[in-house]
Amino acid sequence: MTDMHSYTIGQAARLLGVSPDTARRWADAGRFATHRDDTGRRLIDGRDLAAFSVELAQSGNAEEETPYTSARNAFPGIVTAIKLGDIAAQVEIQAGPHRLVSLLTREAVEQLGLEVGMEATARVKSTNVHIDRT
């Protein structure tokens, strides 16, 4: 799993649950690092975005922007931690202000190719959290 994930300002804003303007202001203020791609777009490294999303959720400074969707149980976000055991695994996703933790098999994590900093969607049904790679 060596593929490096980067996100545009717009993608990062959606994952953080804020407007693109807010994400730009935060980048301009140095709250998270950005770099430019060959076309000049500003990108944020996935691991940096994951760390910032946890910091933001813990500080309670996220803007209150509710996504409009009928799928109330889907939480698009960013993978912030993966703990692999011999058979089981634990995956944490930060979806705006929500931290979701899923226990699943190591095989499922490997088949999905999950990595810290990657975009994923947590789907909650009853007491189970399922992870969809997005």
Side-chain angles (χ1 to χ4, degrees), residues 38-81:
D38 295 339
T39 65
R41 292 183 312 166
R42 284 203 300 187
L43 300 175
I44 301 123
D45 175 72
R47 288 187 179 272
D48 292 341
L49 185 60
F52 179 73
S53 70
V54 170
E55 174 190 321
L56 183 65
Q58 290 173 346
S59 70
N61 288 334
E63 285 183 355
E64 293 297 325
E65 290 188 11
T66 304
Y68 296 98
T69 177
S70 63
R72 301 272 190 267
N73 62 340
F75 295 87
I78 188 166
V79 177
T80 59

Side-chain angles (χ1 to χ4, degrees), residues 19 32 36-37 39 69 97 108 125:
S19 70
F32 53 81
R36 298 224 181 243
D37 67 7
T39 65
T69 177
K125 181 175 182 188

